[in-house]
Amino acid sequence: MTNLIADAEQELKTKREALNLRWYPRYHLAARAGWMNDPNGLVWFDGWYHAFYQHHPYSPEWGPMHWGHARSQDLVHWEHLPVAIAPEGPEDKDGCFSGSAVVDGDTLVLIYTGHKFHGDTDNEDNLYQVQCMATSRDGIHFERQGIVVDTPPGIHHFRDPKVWREGANWYMVVGARTGNTGQVRLYCSADLRQWVYGGILDEAETGMGFMWECPDFFNLGDKRVLMFSPQGMTAHRFKNRNLFQSGYLVGDWQPCQPFIRSGEFVEMDHGHDFYAPQSFLTPDGRRIVIGWLDMWESPLPEQQDGWAGMLSLPRELSLGVDNRLQMRPAKEVESLRQAWFPWPVSSLNNQQINVVENAVAMEVVLNWKSADSNAEQYGLSLGDGLRVYIDAQMQRLVLERHYPHHGLCGTRSVPVTLDRDLHLRLFIDSSSIEVFVNDGEACLSSRIYPDTERRELGLFAWSGYASLSDGGAWQLK
């Protein structure tokens, strides 16, 4: 263990004992203490799922990035491991930024961005981002291998490599910025060490962002999906309401051929907080994605408690008949279920009924009979700060959070069809909610900050009546 990693481990041990756990997640993965952002290096290796993440162990503020590390055998119960890599070389002295992991024989290989300034850190002309490698035989202790892809001439933002194997070759996509245009660059290698530039896989058109972060490129069905997080997209009506987005393009691609889009950019998650998703394959061939359940430049009230950031639940991806990405909670999430509590509510008429006194770690299932409902608004509330409801006049499902004392207020929404039943699965944790609509049609994820004594869960219908065919909750361990 290097000195920097040993220092980080000691700092985490000390800070962990001082955390305020009021909003610390019960079943989402978060750092032991300090700061967490993007998931990195999601991979199955030697009998374990590994999740690495951007991490600053010394404070709950963003700082020189390390790679935090946890592992699991079921994607939901995580064991924290020592910090994997720290910014201790000339190639990454100002931070070990995001990247990915692959298995090469009996070796776990991390490919990540080394972040460094040559001179004044306030001048981006001095910024250089390079792609680096670290390897491990046991999946815990890593040996640094240095730079494998240097900064292209004239480029300063060049980060977040995602690596995969296809046929006899390895491929890598890297997010980049040229001027005010975001792009994804492609590289090819036979051995993970010597890489050949394969050109620009895709790049932004007007309005599609000045930087494309955290690219991912994978097969789904008979299509290719380019998933990335664009910075600088302009909001329009209900679209692109967050400061930064996460979404995808669907198309066709063969090695050594251009990527041909077959549709427009589509957001993956329509809540307030979902960024930098990364995908990986399970041993049984499912494509799973996990994202950062937070948003840049947004208030983070948990920082006062000694930690910041968490990862989303694992979600299984599929493509619908319209080539739209569908996300469902991975089947492993069901292993968290304990007792089932059905709610004896089949209809509401201009009223609210409390169904749970203290909702902390729950999976809620609601089947609204929308065609038999005429209320203007009907749905679920948590305390006085969160509502998830159908607005019949707008024909949208709305997630509304209202925490003015934390500077977090606003709505996010998706369109719904009200001539058929509306099925919702809602995962409530100490400071988050993830809403899955109609078995994968849409998803909304947001952070929430209810007061400890105001976590009652209620059902409501206003200006009319609403009908339920089923409603209840699992307590989650």
Side-chain angles (χ1 to χ4, degrees):
M1 184 178 290
T2 67
N3 289 337
L4 279 183
I5 290 178
D7 290 347
E9 286 297 307
Q10 182 58 49
E11 188 75 12
L12 287 168
K13 181 179 179 181
T14 300
K15 290 188 179 303
R16 176 69 181 178
E17 296 171 354
L19 289 189
N20 182 339
L21 298 177
R22 58 180 169 165
W23 291 318
Y24 192 83
R26 302 290 183 89
Y27 59 91
H28 288 79
L29 178 59
R32 288 167 283 174
W35 171 274
M36 166 197 273
N37 59 283
D38 306 358
N40 302 153
L42 306 178
V43 70
W44 171 264
F45 173 70
D46 197 25
W48 293 88
Y49 292 104
H50 291 258
F52 303 85
Y53 51 88
Q54 292 285 273
H55 185 33
H56 186 227
Y58 294 95
S59 85
E61 308 283 341
W62 187 93
M65 287 293 99
H66 299 54
W67 271 38
H69 187 193
R71 69 180 181 182
S72 171
Q73 292 187 318
D74 63 3
L75 286 173
V76 291
H77 298 90
W78 293 94
E79 171 194 356
H80 285 286
L81 295 174
V83 169
I85 49 178
E88 52 192 343
E91 68 277 7
D92 59 17
K93 65 184 181 67
D94 295 310
C96 301
F97 275 25
S98 296
S100 55
V102 293
V103 178
D104 185 21
D106 61 355
T107 302
L108 179 59
V109 180
L110 308 183
I111 307 287
Y112 67 97
T113 295
H115 182 74
K116 58 180 179 173
F117 283 89
H118 296 174
D120 182 6
T121 58
D122 292 329
N123 185 348
E124 285 200 351
D125 290 341
N126 296 325
L127 170 64
Y128 293 88
Q129 294 183 325
V130 296
Q131 313 318 315
C132 304
M133 176 190 286
T135 58
S136 173
R137 292 293 181 88
D138 64 4
I140 300 175
H141 305 93
F142 291 85
E143 296 182 8
R144 303 159 63 86
Q145 306 294 332
I147 297 173
V148 293
V149 178
D150 208 343
T151 311
I155 299 290
H156 292 280
H157 291 272
F158 176 63
R159 55 182 176 269
D160 312 333
K162 179 64 189 293
V163 179
W164 75 98
R165 187 163 199 161
E166 195 158 337
N169 291 316
W170 296 95
Y171 294 89
M172 176 197 298
V173 285
V174 185
R177 174 181 180 178
T178 58
N180 285 317
T181 300
Q183 61 181 210
V184 174
R185 294 187 165 219
L186 178 69
Y187 294 82
C188 179
S189 173
D191 62 2
L192 288 172
R193 295 175 183 273
Q194 302 295 322
W195 292 88
V196 176
Y197 178 50
I200 296 171
L201 183 71
D202 203 347
E203 65 181 350
E205 298 162 357
T206 301
M208 287 185 66
F210 60 78
M211 174 68 194
W212 285 7
E213 291 197 310
C214 303
D216 200 341
F217 197 51
F218 51 85
N219 286 317
L220 210 55
D222 61 355
K223 289 293 183 178
R224 207 75 179 212
V225 177
L226 176 59
M227 185 173 72
F228 58 101
S229 295
Q231 297 178 314
M233 293 190 75
T234 302
H236 177 66
R237 299 192 71 241
F238 296 109
K239 293 184 177 180
N240 306 325
R241 300 308 309 178
N242 292 331
L243 184 62
F244 302 124
Q245 318 306 320
S246 293
Y248 63 93
L249 295 162
V250 174
D252 297 286
W253 181 79
Q254 293 294 330
C256 304
Q257 299 295 320
F259 173 62
I260 302 173
R261 300 182 196 172
S262 56
E264 63 179 3
F265 175 83
V266 180
E267 290 180 83
M268 291 181 66
D269 188 294
H270 299 269
H272 296 88
D273 298 291
F274 187 79
Y275 194 71
Q278 186 173 113
S279 79
F280 63 100
L281 284 174
T282 62
D284 61 1
R286 290 172 293 146
R287 176 67 60 174
I288 300 291
V289 69
I290 296 175
W292 182 42
L293 218 151
D294 262 304
M295 183 53 59
W296 293 111
E297 299 182 36
S298 175
L300 301 172
E302 70 269 26
Q303 287 177 315
Q304 62 190 289
D305 295 344
W307 67 281
M310 72 184 89
L311 300 187
S312 73
L313 290 175
R315 306 169 180 190
E316 183 175 347
L317 301 184
S318 62
L319 273 185
V321 293
D322 56 355
N323 284 334
R324 286 295 181 105
L325 205 63
Q326 297 183 327
M327 293 194 294
R328 301 172 180 87
K331 62 184 180 182
E332 287 85 351
V333 172
E334 296 178 9
S335 69
L336 293 170
R337 292 173 176 172
Q338 294 183 306
W340 165 255
F341 298 96
W343 296 338
V345 179
S346 59
S347 63
L348 301 108
N349 188 3
N350 200 36
Q351 67 185 130
Q352 175 161 325
I353 299 174
N354 284 349
V355 290
V356 177
E357 290 302 316
N358 185 31
V360 178
M362 309 191 80
E363 176 189 348
V364 174
V365 174
L366 295 173
N367 289 303
W368 291 104
K369 297 176 69 66
S370 298
D372 298 332
S373 304
N374 71 357
E376 291 183 1
Q377 293 185 356
Y378 55 96
L380 173 144
S381 63
L382 176 64
D384 55 4
L386 173 72
R387 295 198 308 157
V388 180
Y389 63 91
I390 293 90
D391 187 311
Q393 295 179 83
M394 291 198 304
Q395 297 199 44
R396 300 186 74 85
L397 176 72
V398 180
L399 190 159
E400 176 184 20
R401 66 179 180 187
H402 183 72
Y403 304 102
H405 47 301
H406 297 307
L408 291 168
C409 297
T411 64
R412 297 290 183 268
S413 65
V414 293
V416 289
T417 301
L418 299 183
D419 58 0
R420 59 186 174 96
D421 289 359
L422 179 65
H423 174 69
L424 303 178
R425 290 177 71 187
L426 306 95
F427 291 84
I428 298 169
D429 206 339
S430 300
S431 56
S432 67
I433 183 167
E434 294 175 77
V435 183
F436 295 87
V437 183
N438 287 337
D439 194 32
E441 282 185 9
C443 185
L444 302 95
S445 303
S446 293
R447 290 172 294 126
I448 58 176
Y449 296 93
D451 294 334
T452 304
E453 67 278 5
R454 292 299 311 272
R455 298 194 68 106
E456 68 276 9
L457 204 60
L459 298 175
F460 65 87
W462 300 122
S463 299
Y465 60 84
S467 299
L468 273 170
S469 61
D470 187 27
W474 276 280
Q475 193 71 40
L476 302 183
K477 59 186 176 182

